[in-house]
Amino acid sequence: MLHPLGCNIFITISMAKPLAERLRPTSFENYVGQQHLVGEGAVLRRMIDSGRILSFILWGPPGTGKTTIARIIAQKLNRPFYTLNAVSAGVKEVREIIDKAKSSPLFSNGGAILFIDEIHRFNKSQQDSLLSAVETGTVTLIGATTENPSFEVIRPLLSRCQLYVLKSLEKDDLLTLLNRAITTDEALAKRGVELRETDAMLRYSGGDARKLLNILELVVESDSDSPVIITDEKVVGCLQQNPIAYDKDGEMHYDIVSAFIKSIRGSDPDAALYWMARMIEGGEDPAFIARRIVISAAEDVGLANPNALLLANAAFDAVTKIGWPEGRIPLAEAVVYLATSPKSNSAYMGINKALQTVRETGNLPVPLHLRNAPTKLMADLGYAGGYKYSHDYPGHFVKQQYLPDGGEKFSFWIPQDNPVETKSKSWMQQCWGDDKPYTK
């Protein structure tokens, strides 16, 4: 039976390995993407080519090649390679591997490599069990995470590891993968696949190589024709008919998070609650949802309603104290409050602009009158000399230079049109007159 768009409703399931696994590269010469890390002369590639690697964590979205990098490294260095998934492994499994590594005959040649996928799911005690082995070099740890390690990895372990950030694959990378799949994979080559249109596959993949190859495999297996002509219409039809098929291992997670944040930003409380409900029903970590709410409060509501950040933090604190399922209530309260609040990204834009300026201008000296003078010598050298203490002046304000020499015209914060920032702008005009660009 065929779907009107040509997609079989009943899919023939191949007993072979998934396409993404069949195409997994075994060397960096065949690796697609992440050239800032593994390209010729790149930092991670140089370390690997030297034959001695330090423990590191790979942070990036799903399907960007974290596991593949670890496997290529283990193969290239000819080291014992152990792998754990943090979802199912515990302290017992970690200690067993460490004991094996200690007894390995290759221990004196650099030790074993321990790859831990989804390391952010390890709790503190599980991560603590790794510390000694990593510090002594018993194992070289390679961790993979889709979450910010600053939040999810304990500081002692993070300090013992390098951190490398992987990016979603670009369009050219994805097209390279598609063409490699239809020409080098034996099963696809027999079907004579023709990529007549690729926009839909690229759009649905979202820069995720595994998701892209899952979609390609789904469409090919769903088509009884030979050769298989792939069009955007056929791809959309198959994915609509099989909505779970392109979301293996919870990869739609990131699409739903994106919809959640954009619904808050777009002031639609109904949509925001819907997408949060999808995350809750999908088993999402409540702390993950709470962090996104805090980020949205600062980035999207910002100074238009400073109380939003306070409420978001309170919701985060509440959910960690009371847990599930009651934790959904303070999270929902925060989400509705954020979605119905006026919006401003002036602080977000301001810090981004300031960071860019710092990168472009370097370390401009701190003016002498703003410097700290804890010793008599520093005071004699003019440190803090001429500084005017604001509280000694009417209104607790006095004009003086706060930016470095040469940076007097820097302007980062641009007030936006809402009651709170309008009031702040008015106060700035009263203080600075026309000296600031946003007060003129």
Side-chain angles (χ1 to χ4, degrees), residues 19 23 171-184 188-189 191-202 212-213 215-220 223 227-235:
L19 176 62
L23 288 181
K171 178 180 179 181
D172 288 345
D173 296 327
L174 297 172
L175 290 174
T176 297
L177 278 175
L178 285 176
N179 284 291
R180 180 179 295 172
I182 65 174
T183 57
T184 65
L188 295 189
R191 298 295 305 278
V193 180
E194 179 186 337
L195 299 173
R196 188 164 295 175
E197 295 174 330
T198 58
D199 285 351
M201 280 197 293
L202 298 182
L212 178 76
L213 295 175
I215 294 170
L216 173 62
E217 188 171 31
L218 168 69
V219 176
V220 172
D223 196 324
V228 180
I229 309 298
I230 294 186
T231 64
D232 291 342
E233 185 180 29
K234 185 177 291 185
V235 170

Side-chain angles (χ1 to χ4, degrees), residues 389-399 427 430-431:
Y389 187 58
S390 297
H391 299 295
D392 289 341
Y393 294 84
H396 302 269
F397 174 82
V398 59
K399 282 188 179 182
W427 168 242
Q430 181 179 334
C431 292

Side-chain angles (χ1 to χ4, degrees), residues 269-285:
D270 297 321
L273 286 173
Y274 170 80
W275 293 119
M276 187 170 74
R278 286 281 297 273
M279 287 191 282
I280 292 171
E281 285 298 298
E284 186 57 79
D285 180 0

Side-chain angles (χ1 to χ4, degrees), residues 234-372:
K234 185 177 291 185
V235 170
V236 172
C238 286
L239 295 185
Q240 289 176 345
Q241 187 68 24
N242 305 278
I244 304 302
Y246 62 96
D247 186 35
K248 295 177 181 177
D249 301 321
E251 291 159 9
M252 188 182 281
H253 159 96
Y254 286 89
D255 297 333
I256 292 176
V257 171
S258 176
F260 174 61
I261 294 300
K262 289 171 181 173
S263 298
I264 294 175
R265 185 181 299 144
S267 299
D268 189 334
D270 297 321
L273 286 173
Y274 170 80
W275 293 119
M276 187 170 74
R278 286 281 297 273
M279 287 191 282
I280 292 171
E281 285 298 298
E284 186 57 79
D285 180 0
F288 174 87
I289 300 173
R291 280 196 300 274
R292 267 51 191 181
I293 292 172
V294 172
I295 293 167
S296 179
E299 178 180 343
D300 296 315
V301 178
L303 295 173
N305 183 1
N307 286 331
L309 184 57
L310 299 177
L311 186 64
N313 269 304
F316 197 161
D317 185 52
V319 79
T320 58
K321 289 178 178 177
I322 64 178
W324 245 205
E326 290 83 359
R328 75 191 189 283
I329 304 169
L331 291 182
E333 180 182 350
V335 165
V336 172
Y337 188 81
L338 265 61
T340 56
S341 289
K343 304 298 188 292
S344 170
N345 67 344
S346 66
Y348 170 78
M349 297 295 289
I351 186 57
N352 287 349
K353 190 175 179 182
L355 287 168
Q356 183 60 36
T357 299
V358 168
R359 295 183 187 114
E360 292 172 352
T361 59
N363 298 321
L364 297 177
V366 176
L368 282 175
H369 66 284
L370 297 182
R371 296 188 187 187
N372 188 30

